[in-house]
């Protein structure tokens, strides 16, 4: 019996060994599944993987492009053509006190907070009468200051920046520019910025200057000019002593005004828009979706005064002249001055800003 059991055990062991050897051979030949082997990548898996990778790459690229687009989508630089007696000094100052990247000869964003704080503390409202670094530099510089006195108040300050200092600062970081210069400044500015945009950024997109021109009711505007010069407009309904044209010429700010606007604005990268400047709040609010608000808004804006308030009751044109006479005044203003002609055509058109 013992011999039979031993023989059986040996036979069973041989069978087990044969089965194990056969299994190993079959696995080696790929005829039996091995769950520890890496599965071969099928064509469908490859396609799916490639598609997923491409989608991820496209998504990443799109996100990158979207970010660049969001960063650079606004290829518009806004300009404010500061025409005399249109509230431009306070408009420039309040824009700088409300938004970032505002650059103007009557105020910059970067120093508006402290400038207004000092002005309020010292109760200074006249442009050029604050004492700061710019006033200290300008009071000893004949090029900057022709109105020097002994109390340190010069012609310029941080709320009335001289041309030389503005050029030294540059306009490369400005999203909104307010300026009282001759009209040629604007095409030169946008051409220069576009050249830098192309050279420095390898940017194929072209910058556009949207230039905002303030337009007042013409007779009110003319009377403000007369007030600025401390002159009275002479009314002569019959034009026996003075013609309407001569009466206009005596008070119109031709040298300061006509040089700032021209009918030669033909630059394709400049878009002219008009707006009614008063009340200033309407325009400032209109720009909120186009400019970035300041991180620290100026809590107290210190107003600028450039004119004594004129008394309409002492201005003969309102009560002592006929509607026909007033219409002749308006017509002559439009015929003789490109700025007035532009305003007459722009107000009420699609180019008027809807404040």
């Amino acid at each position: 019996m013992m011999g039979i059991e031993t023989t059986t055990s040996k036979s069973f062991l041989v069978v087990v060994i044969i089965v194990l050897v056969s299994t190993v051979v079959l696995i080696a030949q790929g005829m039996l599944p091995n769950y520890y082997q890496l599965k071969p990548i099928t064509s469908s898996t490859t396609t799916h993987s490639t598609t997923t990778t491409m989608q991820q790459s496209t998504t990443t690229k799109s996100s990158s492009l979207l970010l660049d687009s969001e960063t650079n989508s606004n290829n518009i630089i806004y300009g404010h053509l500061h025409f005399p007696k249109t509230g431009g000094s306070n408009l420039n100052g309040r824009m700088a006190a409300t938004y970032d990247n505002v650059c103007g000869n009557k105020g910059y964003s970067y120093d508006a907070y402290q400038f207004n704080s000092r002005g309020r503390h010292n109760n200074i409202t006249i442009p050029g009468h604050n004492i700061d670094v710019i006033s200290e530099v300008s009071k000893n510089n004949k090029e900057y200051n022709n109105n020097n006195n002994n109390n340190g108040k010069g012609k310029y300050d941080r709320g009335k920046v001289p041309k030389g200092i503005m050029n030294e600062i540059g306009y490369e970081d400005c999203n909104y520019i307010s300026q009282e210069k001759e009209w040629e400044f604007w095409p030169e500015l946008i051409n220069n910025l576009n050249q830098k945009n192309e050279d420095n950024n390898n940017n194929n997109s072209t910058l556009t200057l949207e230039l905002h021109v303030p337009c007042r009711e013409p007779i009110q505007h003319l009377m403000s000019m007369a007030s600025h010069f401390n002159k009275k407009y002479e009314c002569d309904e019959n034009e026996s002593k003075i013609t309407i044209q001569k009466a206009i010429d005596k008070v119109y700010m031709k040298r300061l005004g006509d040089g700032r606007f021209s009918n030669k604005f033909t630059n394709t990268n400049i878009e002219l828009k008009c707006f009614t400047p008063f009340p200033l709040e309407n325009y400032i609010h209109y720009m909120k979706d186009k400019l970035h608000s300041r991180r620290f808004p100026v809590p107290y804006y210190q107003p600028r005064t450039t004119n004594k308030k004129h008394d309409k009751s002492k201005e003969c044109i309102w009560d002592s002249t006929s509607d026909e006479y007033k219409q002749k005044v308006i017509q002559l203003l439009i015929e003789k001055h490109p700025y007035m002609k532009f305003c007459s055509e722009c107000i009420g058109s699609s180019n008027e800003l809807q404040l």
Side-chain angles (χ1 to χ4, degrees), residues 51 71 193 246 279 298:
T51 303
T71 303
L193 291 177
K246 285 185 178 180
V298 174

Side-chain angles (χ1 to χ4, degrees), residues 127-146:
H129 278 225
N130 286 275
I131 299 176
D132 51 38
V133 172
I134 292 179
S135 68
E136 290 298 309
V137 170
S138 66
K139 75 177 183 179
N140 296 317
N141 189 323
K142 292 182 179 180
E143 179 184 355
Y144 292 161
N145 184 16
N146 57 16

